[in-house]
Amino acid sequence: MIKRRQKIPVKIAHITVGGDAPVVVQSMTDTDTADRAKTVAQIKALADAGSELVRITVNNEEAAAQVPYICEDLESAGYHVPIIGDFHYNGHTLLTEYPDCAKSLAKYRINPGNVGFGAKKDKQFAQMIEVALLNDKPVRIGVNWGSLDKAILAKLMDENGRSASPKTAQEVMHEAIVQSAVGSAQMAEELGLPANKIILSTKVSQVQDLIAVYRMLADRCSYALHLGLTEAGMGSKSIVASSIGMGVLLQEGIGDTIRTSLTPEPGAERTREVRVSQEILQTMGIRSFMPMVTACPGCGRTTSAFFRELAQEIQNHLCAKMPYWKTLYPGVETMSVAVMGCVVNGPGESKHANIGISLPGTGEEPVAPVFIDGEKAATLRGSTIAAEFTQMVDNYVVSHYGEQQA
């Protein structure tokens, strides 16, 4: 079991982040927040996919004016997911001039790199913290290296230039990011915001930079940490980079809430980032969200595509059933299913799963043994194998997880 670093717990509506609480999955909409209907619809989709926190952009007056109505629509529809407001540049104005927006949001996200510039920076930061205090809201202080406080970076660069043992530009950048986050959090505390109302994040877009800055951050503070690789990109590259970067840190116990920031491909669902975050946590054994299917990659012994088709069919079946199952069968999310393609590893993998099937490979007898909790339970044959195995999976769920209701 991974031992998580103890961070100060933060309450965000009914969700706890940090402390002994599970690592929380977060996502963000990409709709125009001023479009109430589209934003509500996307938040519902993200929540249905399993997002436990949803962040929305609040970038202008039109967006701020719609926030209370968006939250009302969600509550009326039975969606209680906490909504986080993402503020840049004009957050101090919007939160002050739209008090219903400030009251409706569950948390505010502040970027210290663009909350204000020059003499206005501290004043405008203080305004946002004052609103958080007035409404008893937590704040995420989120540093992003694409909008890093230039004053901090310039100061550290000057100091490094005069040093007898100068650091690399990359190391100075890491230090500036961490100083911006921790310094802003300390300023918020000085303004009266307690540590249990503060979450920090330090977003970068390269894996090694992510690991470096979060290790530094975890060593220097006890605030809850939001973890994620920003601007991760598209397709498999973004998933691989996010999984590796966050996986290393999660393995070290660093990270209390995560987001996988995927750039959706044209026509792709926004909800994919939620599923990737869940799969990162589940494959690491940190949390369970839905039954996992083990399937072999295929080789020359598995010339038939049937085992691939069955694996996909079972995966789709589990996804479709989970909204219903999770309300009736607690613990079903931990179930493991194996769909294997030949005798080499098929029986062994099937025995390790809660329920598994070993399909015949090339030259094997056309039968498919099914194993339940390590014991052979049936042998399937003929054209109805897929339907029979699917029914056995359903029966297993009812018999093994339904008993917990008694």
Side-chain angles (χ1 to χ4, degrees), residues 116-194:
F117 303 96
K120 294 181 179 180
K121 177 187 174 183
D122 289 353
K123 178 183 177 182
Q124 291 173 183
F125 180 83
Q127 281 182 261
M128 298 183 77
I129 298 302
E130 287 166 7
V131 175
L133 287 167
L134 178 65
N135 291 282
D136 193 29
K137 304 293 184 181
V139 171
R140 170 156 72 96
I141 296 172
V143 177
N144 191 306
W145 74 345
S147 52
L148 182 60
D149 188 325
K150 293 180 176 59
I152 292 177
L153 182 59
K155 175 179 176 290
L156 291 176
M157 285 292 189
D158 287 343
E159 291 175 354
N160 190 59
R162 296 192 297 269
S163 173
S165 302
K167 299 178 180 179
T168 65
Q170 185 180 41
E171 290 173 326
V172 175
M173 172 72 81
H174 294 169
E175 181 64 30
I177 291 170
V178 173
Q179 281 196 22
S180 178
V182 176
S184 297
Q186 291 171 344
M187 184 183 299
E189 284 202 67
E190 290 169 4
L191 291 166
L193 192 68

